[in-house]
Amino acid sequence: MAPMLFLVALLAAPTDTARFQQGVDYRIEARLDEATHVLHGRARLRYVNHSPATLDTLWLHQYLNAFRPNSDWARRELLFGERRFQDLGPEDHAYSRFTGVEVGGRVVRPVYPGAPDSTVVALPLPAPLRPGDSVVVRMDWNARLSTEPRRQGRRGRHYDFAQWYPRIAVYDTAGWEAHPLLPQGEFYGEFASYDVTLDVASDQVIGATGVPVAGDPGWARAAAAGTGPIRYDRDAYAGRPARSLGLLTGTPAPGRKRVRWRAEDVHDFAWSIDPAFIYEQGTAPRTGADGGTITVHVLYQPGDSAWSGVAVARTDSALAWLQATLGPYVWPQFTILHRIEGGGTEFPMLIMTGSASTSLIAHETAHQWAFGMLANNQWRASWLDEGLASFLASWYLEDHGTTGRWAALIAQERRWERAGATQPIAQPAEDFRDMATYGEMSYTKTAIVLYMLRERVGDDTMRRILRRYYGENVLHHVTEADLRRAVNEVTGEDYDWFFDKWLHTTEPLDYEAGGGSG
């Protein structure tokens, strides 16, 4: 974190360490102009202060500003010898720009204390926001994705809209977690309700967080042969009337359509569109007292036969296994979008991936628990979601016939240890020396540490640990302390030594505890 932002966060930190979560409600209207690639947005954000502190400023993120020259992201990449965003021209880089902001009915001027980086913005409050009080923020902004994809991006008429709206920063027991977006580390968001209306070209096919409560996302037209009746789940959030913000009025212009989406108890909202998307649908049983099913939506680009039928089946399988291992999937639907970038990125109710491989789907679907429903700070403790998701995906593959995976991961980590290249796992993502070390420690080494724990306590006890961790913290922000508590409660032993030794030091791992075979 930049020194100024860190100081502000410390000064604003609450004195009461009891857990709380702020109340957030978004209403958003957005219109995409494909001729200019610019999205015009308007949002009404209602923010309720549930903390014990009085606030004088709201902090938000405009993450798209990372993917442009002179951002903290671009300058960090220069240290790694990369120039992909530093050299983007004016027509190709991403941006998010306010065109008007009102807080509590008064016009305010956004402040960018980390300039030239503008991924973090402060909105001064006209009056102190005391515990229990609320304030309404109205924002107009323009946004554009970059032609160089990174968790977002555009190519032709395909748009992957991630981090596309001004997003409230988290205020937790440490204060404001207003942190610039960097290549090492990801996101941290407040749980919220979202009511989002998108105005796009009428032939676009849309996948998004939430459910389409009104309008046509284009799934029926894009459905692959043999797809049954489309499940929209429009009644999942019944009784929420639409209230216009005034950006989208009257009926859509010729050749355009509007689709309204609802999502609740999520900490982000993402979407993708492509007129060539092919749509497939599945369902997975929902565990827990309520039962029912989870609708699975898969939207993939034509010409990639590896997706057809496969992505749905693999997702259904992963959802079933993860629910049995941790606990119920709490949201009405789950969407997989075939993005223009390789790899994958997780969002609540939705993942964007570059392939339909079993391991990638298992990892990103695991993030619906580790990050989605158990929402840790991804830049402060990346291991808690990336490492846990890697462990869960490897365990899933092991249970479904993949052999040798643990042995390969252990061999890889041993090479790092012999080279003296390891760093403590439990440190902020940006403190790792480079991207390779960040990935090895946060993903691979953490997965092995959790594998060692499983081998020590046994499979059944490990499942009980994960279910306790889930049950005590679902739809809350989590920290290392929450996972430690679950381990100690279930085992009846003090495992703090285990976390201290292998998360906070670089001592060699105990490979005897983890076996060494797949």
Side-chain angles (χ1 to χ4, degrees):
M1 179 180 287
M4 181 181 295
L5 297 182
F6 183 67
L7 177 61
V8 171
L10 284 180
L11 291 176
T15 57
D16 185 352
T17 58
R19 181 161 71 177
F20 62 86
Q21 287 181 187
Q22 305 291 61
V24 179
D25 179 85
Y26 287 96
R27 290 216 318 271
I28 299 175
E29 294 178 356
R31 180 179 66 252
L32 176 63
D33 181 351
E34 291 189 31
T36 61
H37 307 293
V38 174
L39 178 139
H40 305 278
R42 175 171 292 173
R44 178 190 182 276
L45 166 66
R46 183 174 182 268
Y47 187 85
V48 184
N49 182 16
H50 291 311
S51 84
T54 296
L55 307 179
D56 60 10
T57 304
L58 295 183
W59 292 78
L60 291 86
H61 297 287
Q62 291 180 282
Y63 283 130
L64 285 183
N65 290 331
F67 309 111
R68 59 182 299 170
N70 296 318
S71 68
D72 277 357
W73 177 299
R75 287 180 288 173
R76 176 61 63 90
E77 284 195 334
L78 289 176
L79 300 177
F80 302 148
E82 297 182 10
R83 305 188 61 90
R84 56 178 170 171
F85 295 110
Q86 187 64 21
D87 292 342
L88 282 182
E91 301 303 316
D92 295 315
H93 68 68
Y95 65 75
S96 175
R97 299 170 183 165
F98 283 122
T99 58
V101 181
E102 292 183 1
V103 180
R106 298 184 185 180
V107 175
V108 301
R109 180 178 179 180
V111 178
Y112 294 92
D117 184 84
S118 51
T119 57
V120 174
V121 57
L123 302 181
L125 291 171
L129 190 64
R130 295 179 175 82
D133 288 350
S134 65
V135 67
V136 172
V137 181
R138 293 180 64 90
M139 302 174 284
D140 288 287
W141 80 100
N142 294 332
R144 189 182 68 189
L145 307 176
S146 67
T147 56
E148 175 71 27
R150 187 64 187 102
R151 302 182 185 138
Q152 51 74 48
R154 56 186 164 98
R155 181 175 299 160
R157 298 191 64 202
H158 183 119
Y159 297 82
D160 292 326
F161 274 96
Q163 319 305 333
W164 57 284
Y165 60 96
R167 185 182 181 196
I168 191 73
V170 174
Y171 185 83
D172 61 17
T173 55
W176 282 107
E177 302 283 4
H179 191 268
L181 184 60
L182 298 170
Q184 295 154 254
E186 298 185 50
F187 308 103
Y188 187 31
E190 290 282 17
F191 283 97
S193 62
Y194 287 82
D195 189 321
V196 179
T197 299
L198 303 174
D199 185 306
V200 298
S202 58
D203 63 341
Q204 285 286 9
V205 183
I206 314 173
T209 297
V211 300
V213 295
D216 177 18
W219 299 340
R221 177 182 63 80
T227 302
I230 306 297
R231 290 171 54 112
Y232 296 99
D233 295 310
R234 298 193 194 274
D235 59 349
Y237 301 115
R240 277 72 167 184
R243 295 188 179 93
S244 174
L245 299 178
L247 178 68
L248 305 177
T249 59
T251 58
R256 300 189 67 83
K257 66 180 178 181
R258 291 176 190 160
V259 186
R260 179 184 171 219
W261 305 81
R262 283 284 310 184
E264 294 185 1
D265 298 318
V266 296
H267 47 78
D268 201 359
F269 188 101
W271 54 291
S272 290
I273 58 173
D274 190 324
F277 265 148
I278 299 171
Y279 173 85
E280 293 186 6
Q281 178 178 273
T283 57
R286 187 189 307 279
T287 64
D290 294 337
T293 57
I294 306 158
T295 306
V296 175
H297 307 288
V298 175
L299 294 97
Y300 61 94
Q301 300 173 49
D304 193 341
S305 59
W307 283 74
S308 181
V310 171
V312 168
R314 290 173 177 170
T315 305
D316 290 351
S317 174
L319 284 170
W321 187 90
L322 287 160
Q323 289 186 100
T325 303
L326 290 103
Y329 181 86
V330 299
W331 298 309
Q333 67 88 18
F334 182 48
T335 296
I336 300 183
L337 299 172
H338 187 182
R339 69 181 185 180
I340 57 179
E341 184 186 10
T345 300
E346 66 279 3
F347 307 91
M349 278 199 239
L350 179 150
I351 59 176
M352 297 182 185
T353 70
S355 82
S357 73
T358 301
S359 59
L360 183 57
I361 286 178
H363 179 94
E364 299 302 337
T365 303
H367 272 304
Q368 295 303 300
W369 282 261
F371 157 80
M373 290 176 276
L374 301 166
N376 70 298
N377 184 331
Q378 289 185 296
W379 63 264
R380 192 184 289 280
S382 55
W383 70 271
L384 197 54
D385 61 287
E386 294 297 355
L388 180 53
S390 297
F391 165 72
L392 291 167
S394 295
W395 192 358
Y396 169 82
L397 293 171
E398 178 187 21
D399 277 0
H400 288 77
T402 298
T403 60
R405 186 173 179 86
W406 292 117
L409 294 178
I410 288 171
Q412 177 176 312
E413 179 56 25
R414 276 177 164 161
R415 289 194 292 271
W416 278 74
E417 288 185 349
R418 289 167 183 159
T422 63
Q423 289 186 271
I425 290 170
Q427 62 179 333
E430 67 203 65
D431 289 350
F432 290 105
R433 70 175 67 90
D434 51 37
M435 286 295 295
T437 309
Y438 159 72
E440 179 68 20
M441 300 300 106
S442 298
Y443 292 70
T444 304
K445 186 174 181 179
T446 303
I448 296 170
V449 168
L450 294 174
Y451 173 56
M452 286 179 359
L453 178 62
R454 191 194 78 179
E455 295 299 284
R456 284 180 178 273
V457 302
D459 287 11
D460 290 343
T461 299
M462 191 66 184
R463 288 190 179 92
R464 289 195 292 119
I465 288 170
L466 293 172
R467 290 170 192 152
R468 176 70 63 91
Y469 177 51
Y470 167 92
E472 291 183 343
N473 301 289
V474 61
L475 300 182
H476 284 86
H477 300 311
V478 291
T479 66
E480 178 183 326
D482 297 306
L483 183 56
R484 284 192 185 220
R485 184 173 62 253
V487 172
N488 292 342
E489 287 175 349
V490 170
T491 62
E493 301 178 26
D494 186 348
Y495 267 81
D496 287 348
W497 64 269
F498 182 94
F499 288 89
D500 291 340
K501 184 173 184 178
W502 284 306
L503 295 182
H504 296 271
T505 77
T506 57
E507 289 195 33
L509 299 182
D510 183 358
Y511 295 109
E512 292 299 320
S517 63

